[in-house]
Amino acid sequence: MGFGQHQSFHLRVNWLSKAAKMVNQDPRFFFDDFGFEKIGLGRNMFKSLKFWALATNIIRENKVSSKYVIHELTEFGQLFYKYDRFIRLPLTRALLHYFLISRKDLATSWYWFFNEFSMGTSTTQELQEQLRNWASMISRRPVSDSSIRRDIECIKQVYTIGTVQFADPEEVIASPLSSLGLIEEHRGVWMKSQPKLERIGLDALYFLLLDWCFKSNSFSITLDELQLRSGLWGKIFNLSINQMLQVIEQMEADDLYEIKFVRTNQIYELHIPSIDRYNFLEMAYQRRVTL
């Protein structure tokens, strides 16, 4: 389990572009004792950057041998670097969020908040208590109160800090995920929000289906699963049933998305064909970049 690994720094807009560029140039960049100087960050920020690049599936570790480890761009990281490294598209923001909250091993608190925690409105104190209780059940080692507090604060920052521009472009502190509109927080009271569908987009939602089918080796999903199962639309993006039905209707009407929505024994199911998810994603990027 991974708690508090962000060093109390939330994800910044420009960070992932820097990480992808440096790893693309030097697979050992994050093992360089002076890497933080080369990229112009402090030591703790440098550690935080590595965490965010791993947690959002931009890079991964590759053990070339028992004594030699490198980082490399993932399939998603390669597309990110090629088409949208400055995170201008809703598609990229939505997928960064999806990968982040899918990393139960690395970004455990993020996984918990979206996939396990179901209360609609909570105070910061209640969130800390609920996360502490859940962590005590799933972690072999005790999780410190300070790590719990830092993770809850960082979740808030990742999803609520909008654009704040200083004189120095390097001081942009906006989080690229804040515009998704998934969390509202006011005076210590939190609420999960249903986002506007255009902030996510059909391409991201269809990629999630393809990724889920690939990982589960199953090509049908019931409407209840789509709403309630970890890793699917309802949990990942706080979508309501009506929003999901709207998305399905739009996908069925568009030849870009191969799905069938059928009713069998009073159970509504989505049938999804076996399609290479990253081929689909690259074509989606190509359409968006050329628009």
Side-chain angles (χ1 to χ4, degrees):
M1 300 294 102
F3 295 92
Q5 298 188 25
H6 44 79
Q7 308 294 317
S8 296
F9 295 105
H10 70 270
L11 177 63
R12 266 76 162 173
V13 166
N14 297 325
W15 277 14
L16 296 179
S17 172
K18 290 182 178 182
K21 178 181 178 180
M22 299 309 291
V23 168
N24 198 47
Q25 293 175 352
D26 177 10
R28 291 280 299 172
F29 170 69
F30 279 112
F31 297 100
D32 186 338
D33 290 339
F34 299 98
F36 70 98
E37 293 182 349
K38 294 178 181 178
I39 205 170
L41 297 175
R43 288 184 183 272
N44 288 340
M45 273 193 171
F46 183 67
K47 294 177 182 178
S48 181
L49 175 62
K50 176 184 174 182
F51 162 77
W52 289 116
L54 287 166
T56 56
N57 194 36
I58 297 298
I59 65 172
R60 64 186 166 215
E61 285 193 357
N62 181 5
K63 293 185 178 180
V64 179
S65 68
S66 60
K67 297 183 179 179
Y68 193 75
V69 181
I70 63 171
H71 288 110
E72 60 188 10
L73 296 182
T74 63
E75 293 91 339
F76 172 63
Q78 293 172 38
L79 297 177
F80 166 87
Y81 188 64
K82 182 177 181 180
Y83 293 108
D84 193 27
R85 54 184 281 204
F86 298 109
I87 317 178
R88 296 188 174 100
L89 298 174
L91 171 60
T92 303
R93 290 191 287 270
L95 291 183
L96 289 172
H97 164 72
Y98 165 61
F99 288 121
L100 171 62
I101 70 169
S102 300
R103 290 301 303 265
K104 185 177 181 180
D105 60 325
L106 191 59
T108 309
S109 296
W110 276 257
Y111 170 87
W112 166 81
F113 184 82
F114 284 95
N115 289 288
E116 300 287 344
F117 182 67
S118 58
M119 291 176 63
T121 303
S122 305
T123 65
T124 299
Q125 185 175 355
E126 288 170 340
L127 285 170
Q128 292 172 356
E129 183 178 349
Q130 291 289 328
L131 177 55
R132 187 181 300 109
N133 292 340
W134 181 80
S136 67
M137 293 187 293
I138 58 98
S139 180
R140 295 180 179 179
R141 298 179 180 178
V143 181
S144 69
D145 287 346
S146 61
S147 292
I148 295 292
R149 289 194 300 271
R150 286 198 300 267
D151 276 3
I152 293 298
E153 177 63 21
C154 195
I155 289 173
K156 180 182 76 173
Q157 292 173 341
V158 166
Y159 292 99
T160 63
I161 290 186
T163 301
V164 180
Q165 178 74 57
F166 297 94
D168 184 351
E170 293 299 313
E171 292 298 320
V172 176
I173 65 169
S175 165
L177 305 188
S178 62
S179 62
L180 290 172
L182 298 174
I183 295 176
E184 294 180 12
E185 189 273 343
H186 181 65
R187 295 183 178 180
V189 178
W190 297 50
M191 182 175 68
K192 291 184 179 181
S193 305
Q194 293 175 1
K196 295 179 180 178
L197 291 177
E198 59 265 27
R199 294 185 179 184
I200 302 169
L202 297 186
D203 288 333
L205 292 169
Y206 192 67
F207 176 85
L208 260 66
L209 295 179
L210 296 179
D211 198 46
W212 187 87
C213 290
F214 174 81
K215 292 174 179 176
S216 65
N217 196 30
S218 175
F219 297 92
S220 64
I221 304 169
T222 68
L223 190 59
D224 285 344
E225 288 176 326
L226 202 58
Q227 182 188 25
L228 301 173
R229 191 160 185 169
S230 298
L232 289 171
W233 294 353
K235 293 289 189 179
I236 299 295
F237 292 114
N238 306 333
L239 297 189
S240 67
I241 284 287
N242 286 338
Q243 285 179 309
M244 289 189 285
L245 290 173
Q246 181 181 345
V247 169
I248 292 168
E249 182 179 359
Q250 291 175 3
M251 285 184 177
E252 285 191 301
D254 194 326
D255 292 338
L256 292 172
Y257 313 103
E258 297 183 44
I259 64 168
K260 291 183 179 180
F261 190 45
V262 298
R263 180 179 178 179
T264 305
N265 297 326
Q266 298 186 350
I267 296 176
Y268 291 96
E269 281 190 333
L270 268 180
H271 293 178
I272 303 105
S274 178
I275 297 175
D276 187 293
R277 63 206 195 282
Y278 285 106
N279 283 346
F280 167 81
L281 187 56
E282 179 153 29
M283 289 188 290
Y285 270 120
Q286 289 171 348
R287 291 197 307 272
R288 299 301 168 191
V289 169
T290 57
L291 288 178

